[in-house]
């Protein structure tokens, strides 16, 4: 029994209060499902407090995981989805279930893909405030295959269950996509982009990492709508969005902010790096389409506490780019 990992958590230590709780302790140590407890330190700030042996086998031993934040253990964009669900459970104060797919780096440094069904249960203190979240995850990719000799009826029933489950999962993923993406450009919508951006800003501030935000819009977009119609305007938006997604890095967050304005959040990026990406995007659009864009760039400053601070400065730079002739880039000092 892993007594060290057990004693690292005050919550789990309370299970020793009486013999009747030994069953729960045994479940924790020997259950094949992934079990974990996270401490709620803020709206998007969650720290691993404890994990059972199965979870440790996936991510690493206790010393490698306990006390670390979610974003330190899981890569984006997977960590964004996990944090969003932890926040949802802490906010509503009720158990929630969700499914997730994604990649992670295991204890041996190898990249792995997984598919999990997770139950989250909030743990409150005497004042009723949610202080911790208890989670149980089932690795769907590791479920046992159909046993040999199963009857045709059971096989047919299992097949129908799998088909129905797959349909429900697909429907849920589709609804999630609709709720988080702009239907015209297939980039993040404004609300979801700002949620993700706030998480990245907190992470960058905490670890003193660079972060840049780019705001751009399509030059003379109103003229396109007025002279060629809104269908032409929609095509311009799709063309620019497609070029953005094909140009930026996988870790960058792209969303439609409103009208013909797009935001691109670039983690761990300096002003020079952001300008290089912006110039590549501007040049690609000029060479491959009839559209041009004006771009404003802002970099994270010590006084920035919210994403809106970055957005305001990037917007100011965007206006300056338009006043200076359009189809150009301006970056805040």
């Amino acid at each position: 029994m892993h007594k060290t990992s057990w004693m690292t958590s005050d919550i789990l230590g309370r299970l020793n209060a009486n013999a009747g709780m030994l069953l729960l302790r045994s479940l924790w140590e020997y259950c094949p499902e992934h079990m974990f407890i996270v401490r709620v330190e803020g709206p998007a700030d969650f720290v691993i407090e404890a994990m059972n042996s199965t979870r440790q086998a996936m991510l690493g031993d206790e010393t490698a995981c306990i006390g670390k934040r979610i974003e330190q253990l899981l890569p984006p964009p997977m960590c964004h989805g996990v944090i969003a669900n932890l926040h949802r459970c802490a906010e509503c104060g009720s158990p929630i279930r969700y499914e997730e797919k994604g990649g992670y780096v295991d204890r041996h440094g190898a990249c792995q893909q997984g598919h999990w069904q997770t139950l989250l249960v909030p743990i409150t203190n005497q004042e009723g405030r949610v202080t911790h979240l208890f989670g149980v995850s089932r690795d769907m990719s590791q479920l046992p295959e159909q046993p040999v000799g199963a009857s045709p009826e059971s096989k047919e029933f299992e097949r129908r269950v799998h088909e129905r489950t797959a349909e429900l999962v697909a429907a849920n993923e589709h609804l999630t996509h609709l709720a988080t993406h702009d239907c015209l450009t297939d980039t993040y919508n404004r609300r979801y982009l700002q949620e993700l951006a706030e998480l990245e800003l907190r992470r960058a501030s905490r670890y003193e990492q660079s972060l840049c935000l780019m705001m751009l819009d399509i030059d003379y977009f109103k003229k396109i709508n007025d002279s060629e119609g809104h269908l032409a305007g929609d095509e311009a938006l799709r063309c620019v969005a497609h070029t953005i997604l094909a140009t930026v890095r996988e870790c960058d967050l792209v969303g439609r902010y409103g009208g013909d304005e797009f935001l691109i959040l670039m983690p761990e990026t300096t002003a020079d790096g952001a300008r290089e990406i912006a110039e590549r995007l501007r040049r690609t659009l000029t060479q491959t389409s009839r559209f041009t864009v004006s771009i404003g760039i802002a970099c994270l400053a010590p006084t920035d506490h919210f994403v809106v601070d970055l957005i305001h400065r990037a917007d100011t730079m965007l206006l300056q780019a338009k006043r200076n002739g359009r189809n150009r880039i301006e970056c805040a000092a």
Side-chain angles (χ1 to χ4, degrees):
M1 190 175 295
H2 302 271
K3 294 183 179 179
T4 303
S5 64
W6 184 264
M7 297 306 294
T8 54
S9 171
D10 289 337
I11 294 176
L12 296 177
R14 295 171 196 162
L15 297 183
N16 287 319
N18 59 71
M21 304 304 287
L22 288 178
L23 173 60
L24 293 181
R25 178 171 178 172
S26 297
L27 286 173
W28 175 267
E29 296 293 350
Y30 298 113
C31 180
E33 311 296 352
H34 302 282
M35 302 172 71
F36 58 92
I37 291 177
V38 297
R39 185 171 69 252
V40 181
E41 293 198 343
D45 200 358
F46 302 95
V47 178
I48 298 293
E49 183 113 332
M51 61 176 62
N52 71 340
S53 305
T54 305
R55 195 70 169 181
Q56 289 179 30
M58 182 182 79
L59 294 176
D61 60 22
E62 175 193 15
T63 57
C65 301
I66 303 303
K68 289 191 175 181
R69 290 175 167 80
I70 300 299
E71 60 267 28
Q72 293 178 277
L73 296 176
L74 299 175
M78 184 180 181
C79 71
H80 299 144
V82 172
I83 291 175
N85 281 300
L86 292 172
H87 171 73
R88 182 160 62 96
C89 182
E91 186 73 14
C92 70
S94 301
I96 66 169
R97 292 179 182 271
Y98 67 92
E99 290 203 15
E100 59 190 345
K101 294 180 179 179
Y104 66 94
V105 178
D106 65 17
R107 61 190 304 176
H108 304 294
C111 184
Q112 303 289 347
Q113 293 291 324
H115 174 200
W116 298 272
Q117 287 183 343
T118 300
L119 168 66
L120 285 177
V121 180
I123 302 173
T124 58
N125 59 14
Q126 293 181 344
E127 290 75 34
R129 183 174 65 87
V130 177
T131 60
H132 296 77
L133 300 173
F134 171 70
V136 181
S137 293
R138 167 172 288 189
D139 189 347
M140 304 302 290
S141 63
Q142 299 297 323
L143 290 180
E145 298 182 358
Q146 180 72 29
V148 177
S151 66
E153 293 80 6
S154 64
K155 288 183 178 180
E156 175 63 17
F157 176 75
E158 191 72 17
R159 184 188 65 80
R160 291 182 180 180
V161 169
H162 281 307
E163 285 183 355
R164 183 56 178 158
T165 301
E167 291 172 359
L168 292 173
V169 169
N172 182 63
E173 290 177 347
H174 180 62
L175 290 175
T176 300
H177 187 85
L178 291 178
T180 57
H181 286 70
D182 173 60
C183 61
L184 182 62
T185 64
D186 205 37
T187 61
Y188 290 132
N189 59 34
R190 177 170 177 166
R191 177 191 59 79
Y192 191 59
L193 176 67
Q194 288 187 281
E195 289 180 5
L196 297 180
E198 291 290 354
L199 296 176
E200 284 295 336
L201 185 144
R202 291 192 183 99
R203 185 176 68 87
S205 298
R206 182 182 303 121
Y207 301 112
E208 298 182 348
Q209 295 175 337
S210 56
L211 178 72
C212 287
L213 184 139
M214 185 188 307
M215 175 179 276
L216 64 87
D217 69 6
I218 303 174
D219 294 330
Y220 305 108
F221 181 72
K222 185 177 185 301
K223 185 177 180 180
I224 296 174
N225 275 333
D226 292 344
S227 61
E228 302 180 43
H230 287 85
L231 290 179
D234 289 349
E235 182 57 34
L237 290 169
R238 283 192 289 266
C239 174
V240 170
H242 176 77
T243 304
I244 293 173
L245 293 172
T247 303
V248 300
R249 305 164 304 177
E250 186 177 352
C251 64
D252 296 329
L253 305 177
V254 180
R256 184 181 177 192
Y257 191 65
D260 62 320
E261 293 178 333
F262 291 88
L263 289 184
I264 305 171
L265 192 78
M266 296 166 285
E268 301 182 32
T269 305
T270 63
D272 290 340
R275 182 181 286 275
E276 181 180 338
I277 295 173
E279 177 57 33
R280 185 163 65 246
L281 172 61
R282 188 198 66 79
R283 185 171 59 249
T284 300
L285 274 171
T286 302
Q287 295 172 350
T288 61
S289 75
R290 62 189 181 97
F291 309 113
T292 62
V293 293
S294 298
I295 302 173
I297 298 173
C299 302
L300 182 64
T303 55
D304 293 333
H305 300 295
F306 301 99
V307 171
V308 67
D309 299 325
L310 277 168
I311 293 176
H312 176 72
R313 290 205 308 282
D315 191 26
T316 300
M317 291 297 99
L318 172 59
L319 291 174
Q320 184 173 319
K322 296 172 78 69
R323 293 192 186 104
N324 289 340
R326 292 184 169 86
N327 191 23
R328 60 184 298 122
I329 302 162
E330 297 291 344
C331 183

